[in-house]
Amino acid sequence: MIRPSNDMLTKRPTLRSMSIAIIGAGLAGVSAARALQPQNHPIELFEKSGGFGGRCATRRSDFGPFNHGAPRLHNLPEDLTEHLTKDQDGYRPPQGISTLARDLAADLTVHLRHEIDALHHTPEGWQIDQATYATLILAIPAPQAARLLKNHPFTTRLQSVTADAQLTAMLAYDTPQHVTPNETITQVEPMDESHTRWVVHGSPEFTATHLEKEKAEIAQLLAKAASETAPTYAAGHRWRYARTATPLGEPFLWDPTLRLGLCGDWCLGPSAGDAVKSGRALAEHVASA
């Protein structure tokens, strides 16, 4: 269990040391960072992948971009929708789903491809690499946060959160294709007007059966279900925590002694707007604390 020592209970960080580390550069993490900027404390984000947005993800390829995570954004606050394209299914940034998070993080300090696999707390604060931060925010899926926190009391709360997995394939063809949902693929999204690029999402049954298969095999199986035509390009992706099924029911978690906060869509629900609201709510609380 991460417990404060006696020194940690009495020592208060000075204004100079009030730096903030945020693990996760999805919508919750970048929203929290953006909301905390007016406090003028140093903020750094750490993201294990090579891009922004978490499940609001865009994969770049030689054949064009693929929105292979959330196909649309829902329940966003009005201040974030001004430059987004809206259709009957939700909002979509014109240059890719991930660009909303990327734009929000435009002037933030972000370390991409930087995975944090352990947490260390000292009387001075949270140690990450060679730096120490007074405040730590985990803006990552609940199961990943639980693994990092080990026996912290928050892990009990996190056990109530559940999420559905989903397997996805990105497919590119030499000729236009007509792809429709079936027993194997429940959702399909054309990525261009010519219908030569598609994202297909596996059904819950398919996902449960093939979750641990290699990504190349996942792509091959979904491509076969999508069309009799062999794709020129096929890439698979495994989303273990694709969509929140049972949320926490609170906007965030906060440990005032350790100055440790948790946020994410899993706190409130499955939408992009839930992630933004959670990140902003935690940031407001951290600023007041």
Side-chain angles (χ1 to χ4, degrees):
M1 177 181 291
I2 305 172
R3 293 186 181 276
S5 65
N6 291 334
D7 288 341
M8 291 156 61
L9 293 172
T10 58
K11 182 182 175 91
R12 299 184 62 85
T14 64
L15 181 63
R16 181 180 178 185
S17 68
M18 290 298 290
S19 54
I20 301 169
I22 300 177
I23 299 178
L27 279 177
V30 297
S31 296
R34 177 65 63 189
L36 284 165
Q37 271 194 316
Q39 300 297 312
N40 294 321
H41 301 313
I43 302 172
E44 295 188 51
L45 289 93
F46 300 85
E47 170 57 47
K48 70 176 183 178
S49 71
F52 300 92
R55 282 159 285 165
C56 299
T58 303
R59 173 80 61 86
R60 310 293 171 179
S61 77
D62 293 339
F63 299 88
F66 293 89
N67 294 323
H68 65 298
R72 298 290 189 279
L73 306 177
H74 301 94
N75 301 321
L76 290 172
E78 291 185 4
D79 62 291
L80 296 184
T81 61
E82 181 179 359
H83 301 294
L84 304 184
T85 301
K86 189 178 187 300
D87 59 26
Q88 62 183 2
D89 296 322
Y91 290 96
R92 179 171 49 84
Q95 302 303 316
I97 289 291
S98 66
T99 56
L100 176 59
R102 186 192 68 191
D103 291 347
L104 287 172
D107 57 351
L108 299 172
T109 301
V110 184
H111 306 277
L112 296 176
R113 302 189 186 281
H114 196 122
E115 184 170 6
I116 306 298
D117 56 12
L119 298 178
H120 303 283
H121 193 278
T122 71
E124 288 72 37
W126 294 94
Q127 289 187 341
I128 297 179
D129 298 335
Q130 302 301 314
T132 301
Y133 303 85
T135 299
L136 175 65
I137 291 175
L138 302 183
I140 54 180
Q144 295 177 355
R147 285 196 293 272
L148 282 178
L149 292 175
K150 297 182 179 178
N151 294 320
H152 186 281
F154 281 166
T155 58
T156 301
R157 305 286 307 281
L158 295 175
Q159 290 175 5
S160 67
V161 177
T162 64
D164 295 329
Q166 189 164 63
L167 297 179
T168 298
M170 295 152 274
L171 309 172
Y173 299 88
D174 292 331
T175 58
Q177 300 295 308
H178 180 65
V179 181
T180 58
N182 53 46
E183 292 183 355
T184 301
I185 52 177
T186 56
Q187 190 173 17
V188 300
E189 290 283 338
M191 293 291 107
D192 58 4
E193 294 182 357
S194 66
H195 288 194
T196 58
R197 282 185 291 117
W198 290 84
V199 170
V200 300
H201 300 284
S203 68
E205 295 77 14
F206 175 87
T207 295
T209 301
H210 303 287
L211 185 61
E212 301 304 332
K213 283 186 167 57
E214 296 294 328
K215 293 180 181 179
E217 186 175 358
I218 292 168
Q220 182 181 26
L221 292 170
L222 288 174
K224 185 176 180 179
S227 174
E228 294 181 357
T229 303
T232 306
Y233 169 85
H237 193 87
R238 180 189 301 105
W239 295 104
R240 289 194 183 276
Y241 317 111
R243 184 177 177 85
T244 299
T246 307
L248 180 70
E250 300 178 40
F252 59 85
L253 292 174
W254 173 249
D255 181 332
T257 302
L258 297 182
R259 294 195 61 84
L260 166 69
L262 279 66
C263 63
D265 62 349
W266 53 266
C267 289
L268 296 172
S271 72
D274 292 323
V276 174
K277 291 173 187 175
S278 176
R280 288 181 173 182
L282 176 56
E284 181 179 356
H285 188 81
V286 171
S288 66

